Amino acid sequence: MHAFDFSAAAVTELARQDASRALAEDVGAGDLTAALVPAGRRALARVVAREQAVVCGGPWVGAALRQLDPPA
């Protein structure tokens, strides 16, 4: 049995790989909803919950966002 390395670096790399595969599958040649935001403009999103919540998957969200909008 293979034990997973739960170090921050290993989780970050796994998230990067997973996000890359998911974006290639889901977005492919383009994201139709992204066309709603004109090129060169930035969009801001807010998550609103009606009750207290636990949000999981932070490293995967960060990895996907960095791939979609790399830091300058």
Side-chain angles (χ1 to χ4, degrees):
M1 178 182 243
H2 174 71
F4 182 74
D5 173 8
F6 285 97
S7 69
V11 170
T12 298
E13 177 57 20
L14 177 63
R16 186 197 64 75
Q17 291 174 9
D18 287 347
S20 182
R21 280 191 299 274
L23 289 169
E25 177 184 320
D26 293 343
V27 176
D31 180 1
L32 295 176
T33 57
L36 297 172
V37 178
R41 299 282 313 262
R42 299 202 95 174
L44 177 66
R46 178 179 295 167
V47 176
V48 178
R50 293 184 180 169
E51 297 180 16
Q52 189 173 22
V54 175
V55 178
C56 299
W60 282 260
V61 171
L65 293 174
R66 281 188 295 280
Q67 289 179 43
L68 291 170
D69 188 18

